[in-house]
Every structure is written in structure tokens, then in C-alpha cells.
Amino acid sequence: MMAGSHVALGAAAWMLAAPRLGLPALDPALLGLAVAGALAPDVDHPKSWVGRRLWFISRPCAVIFGHRGMTHSLLALLACLAVLLRHDVPFVVAAPLAVGYVSHLAADLLTPGGLRLAWPFKGTYALPLCRTGSPFEPLIVAVILSWSWGGLAERSTIRADWAAGGICHLAGAVLPSFCAEAASVLADGTQRLATLGGALLRAP
């Protein structure tokens, strides 16, 4: 899938996973880590969004492993698990990175190119629902993103996450009215998006 789709799906995956991990779903820093994790596997492609910025890593990876090689395999998933189990890496950092990373592999599994899960052995696994860059891709992303918004356990979580992160975390005492209004607007927008997501899922 395209970089924008991976960004959206990484955020969606974190919004679904965070409440189950006891972490805030909408904390800006944790969402950013999830998005970073969702972009990371494509470091093996020099023309990808992350590959162009980390070309000094991407070019050697492309030559040695090829695109959708090691970074898109079961070895990469085991590496994510190892990071989660390490005591010297804070769980609050490792969890969103790992969730984002797994979301990338799950998304690529939905394309005809699939994944070489058993890398370095040959053989591709795929559930080809859409081609990368096709008009159907944003529809799938929109449905999953709406579902993840609707899957937040409580709307009050949104207010708590807004208060726990971003500008209101740093300047809430200085801008109390701004933060209260922003939280209200965000909660209302989330409710509307959740309603839209439910309608899309019920559509024939």
C-alpha cells in the first residue's frame, strides 16, 4: 500500500490496540510512534517515503534483502516481539512501534504482491483485496479507520487523551478555555466519525 495508507492504518491499529494495552489511544506522541512503526518496513525500498529520507539505510537494504524481504517477514515480527519483551526499552515506546509495524505487514498482505513471510525462502502469501494505488485502496483504509474510531471503548477516553498529550499537556494551565473547547470539538467530531464508520460497515 501507499505511504499515506500505512500512516492511516498505523494510527487505526494503535487506536484499537491502545485501550487493550492500558495506554491512551489518542496521545499524540504514541500515535506518532505508531505511524513511525507503520512506515518503517519500507526502509528496504529506496523510492518509498521513508526510503528517500533514510537512503543511507534503504539502499543497502534494497541491495541485500530486496523489497518486501526481511523487513516484511516473520523474522521482522519476531524482532517486534523481542523489542516488546526487552526490559531496557520502555513498553510505552515499544508497544506503539510494534503495533504500527504489524499494521504495515497486515496491510501489505491485502495486496496481490503479498509478503514473503518465510524469507529467505521463496513463496508469497497474500489475501489480495486491492492493488497498491488503486481506487479501492482508500475505501478500504477509510472503512478500517472509521471502524477503529468506533471501536474506542469510551468517548471519555478522547478527552482524557487530549488532556494527557499535545499542547494541553504543556500549557493546559495557561490555556484552560482553549483546551476545554478543543476537547469538546474533538469529542463531537469523533462521535460523528464513529457514526459514519458504523453506517459504512452496515452498508450492503
Side-chain angles (χ1 to χ4, degrees):
M1 288 192 172
M2 306 296 287
S5 297
H6 284 305
V7 167
L9 293 176
W14 179 245
M15 286 189 286
L16 287 172
R20 293 159 178 80
L21 297 173
L23 294 170
L26 295 176
D27 179 83
L30 301 190
L31 274 172
L33 287 172
V35 167
L39 292 171
D42 277 345
V43 73
D44 63 3
H45 192 332
K47 293 185 178 180
S48 68
W49 188 92
V50 67
R52 292 195 304 272
R53 287 153 181 81
L54 299 177
W55 57 268
F56 50 92
I57 298 175
S58 183
R59 290 176 184 174
C61 281
V63 172
I64 298 171
F65 306 118
H67 183 43
R68 294 197 184 184
M70 185 188 70
T71 64
H72 290 68
S73 69
L74 289 176
L75 288 176
L77 292 177
L78 289 175
C80 287
L81 180 61
V83 170
L84 283 172
L85 295 177
R86 288 181 65 90
H87 297 295
D88 56 342
V89 179
F91 183 75
V92 72
V93 173
L97 284 172
V99 168
Y101 201 106
V102 172
S103 78
H104 182 114
L105 302 194
D108 280 354
L109 198 63
L110 301 180
T111 65
L115 300 175
R116 292 175 60 194
L117 290 174
W119 184 94
F121 300 104
K122 294 182 179 180
T124 300
Y125 300 84
L127 297 170
L129 292 181
C130 68
R131 293 186 178 277
T132 299
S134 71
F136 194 48
E137 179 179 324
L139 176 60
I140 290 179
V141 171
V143 170
I144 294 174
L145 188 58
S146 297
W147 176 48
S148 69
W149 275 99
L152 286 175
E154 298 178 2
R155 294 298 170 262
S156 59
T157 301
I158 295 164
R159 292 175 183 265
D161 289 351
W162 182 264
I167 191 172
C168 289
H169 179 67
L170 299 172
V174 180
L175 303 168
S177 60
F178 168 80
C179 290
E181 181 181 355
S184 176
V185 171
L186 185 60
D188 180 64
T190 302
Q191 180 65 50
R192 291 171 184 267
L193 187 56
T195 302
L196 174 61
L200 285 172
L201 290 174
R202 290 192 298 270

